[in-house]
Coordinates of all heavy atoms in Angstrom, one line a residue:
L1 N 180.5 146.3 41.8 CA 180.5 145.0 42.5 C 179.1 144.6 43.0 O 178.4 145.6 43.2 CB 181.5 145.1 43.6 CG 183.0 145.2 43.3 CD1 183.7 145.4 44.7 CD2 183.5 144.0 42.6
A2 N 178.9 143.4 43.1 CA 177.5 143.0 43.7 C 177.7 142.0 44.9 O 178.5 141.0 44.8 CB 176.6 142.5 42.6
H3 N 176.9 142.3 46.0 CA 176.9 141.3 47.1 C 175.4 140.8 47.2 O 174.4 141.4 47.1 CB 177.1 142.1 48.3 CG 178.5 142.5 48.5 ND1 179.6 141.7 48.7 CD2 179.1 143.8 48.5 CE1 180.7 142.5 48.8 NE2 180.4 143.7 48.7
F4 N 175.4 139.4 47.0 CA 174.1 138.8 47.2 C 174.0 137.8 48.5 O 174.9 137.3 48.9 CB 173.9 137.8 46.0 CG 174.2 138.4 44.6 CD1 174.9 137.7 43.6 CD2 173.5 139.6 44.3 CE1 175.2 138.3 42.4 CE2 173.7 140.2 43.0 CZ 174.5 139.6 42.1
T5 N 172.8 137.9 49.2 CA 172.5 137.1 50.3 C 171.4 136.2 49.9 O 170.2 136.7 49.9 CB 172.2 138.1 51.5 OG1 173.2 139.0 51.6 CG2 172.1 137.3 52.7
V6 N 171.8 135.0 49.9 CA 170.7 133.9 49.5 C 170.3 133.3 50.8 O 171.1 132.5 51.5 CB 171.2 132.9 48.5 CG1 170.1 132.0 48.1 CG2 171.7 133.7 47.2
P7 N 169.1 133.3 51.3 CA 168.6 132.6 52.5 C 168.9 131.2 52.5 O 168.5 130.6 51.5 CB 167.2 133.1 52.7 CG 167.0 134.2 51.8 CD 168.0 134.1 50.7
C8 N 169.4 130.5 53.5 CA 169.5 129.1 53.5 C 168.3 128.3 53.5 O 168.3 127.3 53.3 CB 170.6 128.6 54.6 SG 169.8 128.7 56.3
E9 N 167.2 128.9 53.9 CA 166.0 128.4 53.9 C 165.2 128.2 52.5 O 164.3 127.5 52.3 CB 164.9 129.2 54.7 CG 165.3 129.2 56.2 CD 166.3 130.4 56.5 OE1 166.5 131.2 55.6 OE2 166.9 130.5 57.6
S10 N 165.9 128.9 51.5 CA 165.5 128.7 50.2 C 165.5 127.3 49.7 O 166.3 126.6 50.1 CB 166.2 129.7 49.1 OG 167.5 129.3 49.1
S11 N 164.6 127.1 48.7 CA 164.4 125.7 48.4 C 165.5 125.2 47.4 O 165.8 124.1 47.2 CB 163.0 125.5 47.5 OG 162.9 126.4 46.5
H12 N 166.2 126.3 46.6 CA 167.3 126.0 45.9 C 168.6 126.8 45.9 O 168.4 127.9 46.4 CB 166.7 126.3 44.3 CG 165.6 125.3 43.8 ND1 164.4 125.2 44.5 CD2 165.7 124.5 42.8 CE1 163.7 124.3 43.8 NE2 164.4 123.8 42.9
L13 N 169.6 126.2 45.6 CA 170.8 127.2 45.4 C 170.9 127.4 43.9 O 170.2 126.9 43.1 CB 172.0 126.3 46.0 CG 172.3 125.0 45.4 CD1 173.2 125.0 44.2 CD2 173.3 124.2 46.5
I14 N 171.7 128.3 43.6 CA 171.9 128.8 42.2 C 173.3 128.4 41.7 O 174.2 128.6 42.3 CB 171.7 130.3 42.2 CG1 170.3 130.6 42.6 CG2 172.0 130.6 40.6 CD1 170.2 132.1 42.7
E15 N 173.3 127.5 40.6 CA 174.4 127.0 40.1 C 175.5 128.1 39.7 O 174.8 129.1 39.0 CB 174.3 125.9 39.0 CG 175.4 125.2 38.5 CD 176.2 126.0 37.4 OE1 175.6 126.6 36.5 OE2 177.4 126.3 37.7
S16 N 176.7 128.1 40.0 CA 177.5 129.3 39.9 C 177.9 129.8 38.4 O 177.9 131.0 38.2 CB 178.7 129.2 40.6 OG 179.6 128.0 40.1
K17 N 178.0 128.7 37.5 CA 178.2 129.1 36.1 C 177.1 129.8 35.5 O 177.2 130.8 34.6 CB 178.8 127.9 35.3 CG 179.1 128.3 33.8 CD 179.7 127.2 33.1 CE 180.2 127.7 31.7 NZ 180.8 126.7 30.8
S18 N 175.9 129.3 35.8 CA 174.7 129.8 35.4 C 174.5 131.3 35.8 O 174.1 132.2 35.0 CB 173.4 129.0 35.7 OG 172.9 129.3 37.0
L19 N 175.0 131.5 37.0 CA 174.9 133.0 37.6 C 175.9 133.9 36.7 O 175.5 135.0 36.4 CB 175.2 133.0 38.9 CG 175.2 134.3 39.7 CD1 173.9 135.1 39.4 CD2 175.4 134.2 41.2
K20 N 177.1 133.2 36.5 CA 178.1 134.0 35.7 C 177.4 134.3 34.3 O 177.5 135.4 33.8 CB 179.3 133.3 35.4 CG 180.4 134.0 34.7 CD 181.7 133.3 34.5 CE 182.6 134.1 33.6 NZ 184.0 133.5 33.5
L21 N 176.8 133.4 33.7 CA 176.3 133.5 32.4 C 175.1 134.5 32.4 O 175.0 135.6 31.7 CB 175.7 132.3 31.6 CG 176.7 131.3 31.3 CD1 176.0 129.9 31.0 CD2 177.6 131.7 30.3
Y22 N 174.4 134.5 33.4 CA 173.3 135.5 33.7 C 173.8 136.9 33.8 O 173.3 137.9 33.2 CB 172.3 135.1 34.9 CG 171.5 136.1 35.4 CD1 170.4 136.5 34.9 CD2 171.9 136.8 36.6 CE1 169.6 137.5 35.4 CE2 171.0 137.6 37.2 CZ 169.8 138.1 36.6 OH 169.0 139.1 37.2
L23 N 174.9 137.1 34.7 CA 175.4 138.4 34.9 C 176.0 138.9 33.6 O 175.9 140.1 33.3 CB 176.4 138.3 36.0 CG 176.0 138.0 37.4 CD1 177.1 137.9 38.4 CD2 174.8 139.1 37.9
N24 N 176.6 138.1 32.8 CA 177.2 138.4 31.5 C 176.1 139.0 30.6 O 176.4 139.8 29.7 CB 178.0 137.4 30.9 CG 179.4 137.4 31.2 OD1 180.3 138.0 30.5 ND2 179.7 136.8 32.3
S25 N 174.9 138.4 30.8 CA 173.8 138.9 29.9 C 173.4 140.4 30.1 O 172.7 140.9 29.2 CB 172.5 138.0 30.1 OG 171.8 138.3 31.3
F26 N 173.9 141.0 31.1 CA 173.6 142.5 31.4 C 174.6 143.4 30.5 O 174.3 144.5 30.4 CB 173.7 142.7 32.8 CG 172.8 142.3 33.7 CD1 172.4 141.0 34.1 CD2 171.9 143.3 34.4 CE1 171.5 140.5 34.8 CE2 171.0 142.8 35.3 CZ 170.7 141.5 35.5
N27 N 175.7 142.7 29.9 CA 176.6 143.5 29.4 C 176.3 144.6 28.4 O 176.8 145.6 28.4 CB 177.7 142.6 28.8 CG 178.6 141.9 29.9 OD1 178.5 142.1 31.0 ND2 179.4 140.8 29.6
N28 N 175.4 144.2 27.5 CA 174.9 145.2 26.4 C 173.5 145.4 26.4 O 173.0 145.8 25.5 CB 175.4 144.4 25.0 CG 176.9 144.6 24.7 OD1 177.5 145.3 25.2 ND2 177.3 143.6 23.9
T29 N 173.0 145.5 27.7 CA 171.7 145.8 27.9 C 171.6 147.2 28.6 O 172.3 147.3 29.6 CB 171.0 144.8 28.9 OG1 171.1 143.4 28.2 CG2 169.5 145.1 29.1

C-alpha cells in the first residue's frame, strides 16, 4: 500500500486516472 501526502500549496493537483496508469507502469519493472 502507498500513502501520499500532496501539499495544498503545490501549484498542481494530479489527475487520478493518470496516477493509476503511472502506478500500473511499475508492474513489470
Side-chain angles (χ1 to χ4, degrees):
L1 296 176
H3 294 291
F4 306 134
T5 304
V6 182
C8 73
E9 298 83 11
S10 64
S11 59
H12 290 66
L13 57 85
I14 300 170
E15 189 277 306
S16 60
K17 185 173 181 180
S18 79
L19 180 53
K20 177 179 180 175
L21 294 172
Y22 164 73
L23 293 176
N24 270 274
S25 79
F26 283 66
N27 288 351
N28 284 332
T29 304

